[in-house]
Amino acid sequence: MALQWFLYVAAAVATINWAKSLQTDRVVCFYDSQSRYREGLGKVEAPGDIEASLTTCTHLVYGFAVIDGGNYKLVPVDEYQELDSGKGYYRAVTSLKKRYPSLNILLSVGGLADPVKDKYLTLLESEDNRKAFVSSARTLLRQYAFDGLDLAWEFPEIYVKKDRSTLGSLWHGFKKTFGLASSHKDEKAEEHRDGFTALIRELKNSLRPDGLLLTTTILPNVDTSIYYDLKDIVPNLDFVNVLAFNYTTPERKPDEADYPAALYQAGNRDVNHTVDGTIRWWLEKGVPANKIILGIGALGVTWKLTSDSKISGVPPIEADGPGEAGPQTKTAGLLSYPEVCSLLPNPNVNSQSTSHLLRRVTDPSHKLGSYAFRLPDSSSAAGLWVAYEDPDTAGYKGAYAKNKGLGGIAIWDISLDDFRGVCTGERFPILKAARNHL
Ligand SMILES: *[C@@H]1O[C@H](CO)[C@@H](O)[C@H](O)[C@H]1NC(C)=O
Ligand SMILES: *[C@@H]1O[C@H](CO)[C@@H](O)[C@H](O)[C@H]1NC(C)=O
């Protein structure tokens, strides 16, 4: 009898593990809590404003907590906002599980929310620092009933040499595209990689007894081959969110606008700067496909066009730094999807003043992405070039994830999707289009 029971339990556990290992339809929704400080229609307050996404999301990743530089503990970015002793947003968000019982809610640390990046490296250098982080993380997660922790660790970015533009290399031959990017000099890179591996192992050991999830998010333009010892860390992670966008941005290439998140390579551009190049690299490293989550940027990346920019708008195109900030997101170089769609001609509105509108160029090839632009004009607005994810392009990326047998998709972040449904009446159209192709 006892043996039969044991065999039954063993079989049940094996079935659960097997089902888990085949999971390919995760929909990971990042929510950046800083979006609650936007003004007017751009203000996104959880839980209310994000609820319409939660029947689509399987995982909600609440961002972002940070590291206390003095003692290396995991702490909220703003205690007054997040903790029960203040406004209690953490509790309000994890309480959503009462109404969405299958939703997993994770707390994410880092994610560019923390302007001080050195401590993300020094924490890794000592066992004591890691211990302080691990035990504070477990306490915070349990106290606020999160289902797990996501490490969107702020490793240094690869920087781009300014003088090696794609524009130049397209003109001057193939050779120059090599060495386009060179690594940020981190004298202790190996130590940091080993420290990160140890941190993940220590976190896993600490979170396992409570069945809490542990994931990591690879931020754009971090050299994965330096900091992530995939063979040793992946077995301890439930999944990895690979943010496959922002390969080119106005910060990285102020003088040249180009596709920031193309699915496939165009011309002789760097294949690593494409979704497919990135994902194939991960698969070639032997990471199981179903642990890789394709991170889609629900955002527009903008540059300012000048009178020297070519009138066709075709990238790469000469530019002059980041495009003007949008009225809601108020960040140069970035527009949310509703900000982009308000600049596109709308067939349902007749009497529009059109001088500020953009010319829209869609991508029937499904390979590169959509963009829109307007040239500078002495009588009206400044020149603008924006490459953006829309429901169509997000749909191709969802289909790509499915095709490769990946573990799902992640949307970074849902506060930049059309959460009010102002573009076409549908709420969270980018999230839903990507999900529908999965
Ligand atoms: C692409 O990225 C990988 C990992 O960082 C690197 O090893 C490889 O050399 C890169 N390829 C090119 C063409 O830059
Ligand atoms: C992506 O690029 C935009 C524009 O440069 C920037 O504002 C945003 O912070 C970037 N996001 C990530 C995750 O790198």
Side-chain angles (χ1 to χ4, degrees):
M1 193 62 195
L3 179 65
Q4 266 176 359
W5 175 241
F6 171 78
L7 289 176
Y8 170 75
V9 171
V13 168
T15 312
I16 290 166
N17 285 339
W18 179 73
K20 255 192 182 169
S21 71
L22 285 185
Q23 195 176 354
T24 55
D25 54 1
R26 298 183 193 86
V27 180
V28 180
C29 297
F30 282 86
Y31 164 70
D32 180 357
S33 67
Q34 296 301 303
S35 60
R36 74 167 72 102
Y37 299 114
R38 288 183 204 141
E39 282 161 34
L41 291 175
K43 182 182 174 73
V44 193
E45 206 162 22
D49 290 329
I50 63 169
E51 246 196 278
S53 72
L54 298 180
T55 47
T56 307
C57 309
T58 60
H59 296 73
L60 176 65
V61 184
Y62 187 90
F64 291 91
V66 296
I67 298 168
D68 182 323
N71 57 23
Y72 295 103
K73 288 185 177 169
L74 176 68
V75 289
V77 68
D78 180 340
E79 281 190 17
Y80 171 70
Q81 295 284 332
E82 311 287 27
L83 300 187
D84 286 345
S85 52
K87 288 180 119 182
Y89 278 108
Y90 278 177
R91 184 82 58 199
V93 166
T94 57
S95 298
L96 283 166
K97 276 186 290 179
K98 292 191 194 115
R99 265 173 301 145
Y100 303 91
S102 60
L103 181 67
N104 292 284
I105 304 179
L106 291 88
L107 181 63
S108 184
V109 52
L112 301 182
D114 201 339
V116 187
K117 301 186 193 303
D118 283 0
K119 58 196 176 190
Y120 287 80
L121 297 180
T122 48
L123 184 148
L124 304 175
E125 292 169 9
S126 111
E127 196 177 338
D128 286 343
N129 296 350
R130 294 197 304 265
K131 266 194 186 137
F133 180 82
V134 170
S135 76
S136 63
R138 178 163 183 264
T139 306
L140 193 62
L141 296 176
R142 280 163 44 108
Q143 188 180 355
Y144 286 92
F146 283 102
D147 296 309
L149 182 67
D150 174 61
L151 305 172
W153 214 252
E154 299 195 24
F155 285 117
E157 280 187 12
I158 301 169
Y159 68 87
V160 178
K161 283 189 191 154
K162 293 251 160 66
D163 55 336
R164 300 269 174 97
S165 67
T166 313
L167 214 56
S169 48
L170 286 179
W171 288 337
H172 298 121
F174 180 63
K175 258 189 178 165
K176 275 196 171 178
T177 54
F178 280 103
L180 188 69
S182 67
S183 290
H184 182 92
K185 204 106 198 102
D186 175 1
E187 304 288 346
K188 299 186 189 168
E190 243 170 72
E191 183 183 346
H192 294 144
R193 181 192 56 208
D194 294 346
F196 193 64
T197 306
L199 177 69
I200 287 184
R201 188 176 55 241
E202 290 154 7
L203 274 167
K204 181 68 185 175
N205 289 339
S206 162
L207 302 182
R208 186 185 286 119
D210 294 309
L212 296 174
L213 299 173
L214 181 60
T215 64
T216 190
T217 295
I218 316 292
L219 294 174
N221 303 306
V222 166
D223 192 335
T224 315
S225 66
I226 292 186
Y227 291 110
Y228 293 87
D229 188 348
L230 299 177
K231 184 171 58 58
D232 284 345
I233 65 171
V234 170
N236 284 326
L237 295 169
D238 289 278
F239 53 81
V240 181
N241 304 303
V242 179
L243 300 190
F245 56 88
N246 273 16
Y247 295 106
T248 47
T249 63
E251 290 79 30
R252 299 172 62 73
K253 273 197 182 182
D255 53 359
E256 184 185 290
D258 205 353
Y259 295 110
L263 192 45
Y264 294 103
Q265 191 178 11
N268 64 1
R269 291 172 176 87
D270 187 343
V271 67
N272 279 351
H273 290 182
T274 65
V275 174
D276 182 55
T278 303
I279 295 301
R280 276 193 294 132
W281 184 85
W282 278 79
L283 294 171
E284 279 160 19
K285 292 288 163 206
V287 177
N290 59 47
K291 281 209 174 177
I292 302 171
I293 308 292
L294 174 58
I296 301 171
L299 49 92
V301 178
T302 70
W303 282 260
K304 193 168 140 196
L305 294 185
T306 75
S307 48
D308 292 334
S309 309
K310 41 184 186 201
I311 59 168
S312 68
V314 175
I317 179 170
E318 190 163 337
D320 181 22
E324 199 185 337
Q328 296 170 9
T329 49
K330 294 197 160 70
T331 307
L334 172 84
L335 291 175
S336 66
Y337 182 53
E339 285 173 331
V340 173
C341 87
S342 76
L343 292 172
L344 300 176
N346 183 341
N348 303 322
V349 182
N350 284 325
S351 56
Q352 267 172 313
S353 106
T354 54
S355 62
H356 70 292
L357 294 180
L358 308 180
R359 212 175 105 202
R360 178 180 179 192
V361 183
T362 54
D363 172 25
S365 78
H366 302 186
K367 285 185 171 168
L368 302 173
S370 303
Y371 65 90
F373 69 100
R374 79 180 164 227
L375 294 164
D377 167 343
S378 53
S379 67
S380 68
L384 183 71
W385 194 93
V386 53
Y388 59 98
E389 210 67 66
D390 63 20
D392 288 340
T393 58
Y396 311 145
K397 289 181 180 175
Y400 176 90
K402 181 187 170 115
N403 222 289
K404 293 276 177 186
L406 303 187
I409 51 157
I411 300 294
W412 180 288
D413 70 278
I414 58 171
S415 80
L416 298 171
D417 197 350
D418 182 14
F419 68 100
R420 290 182 195 279
V422 297
C423 298
T424 62
E426 188 187 15
R427 292 176 171 223
F428 297 102
I430 293 180
L431 163 66
K432 286 178 182 163
R435 163 73 188 98
N436 287 343
H437 288 78
L438 208 55

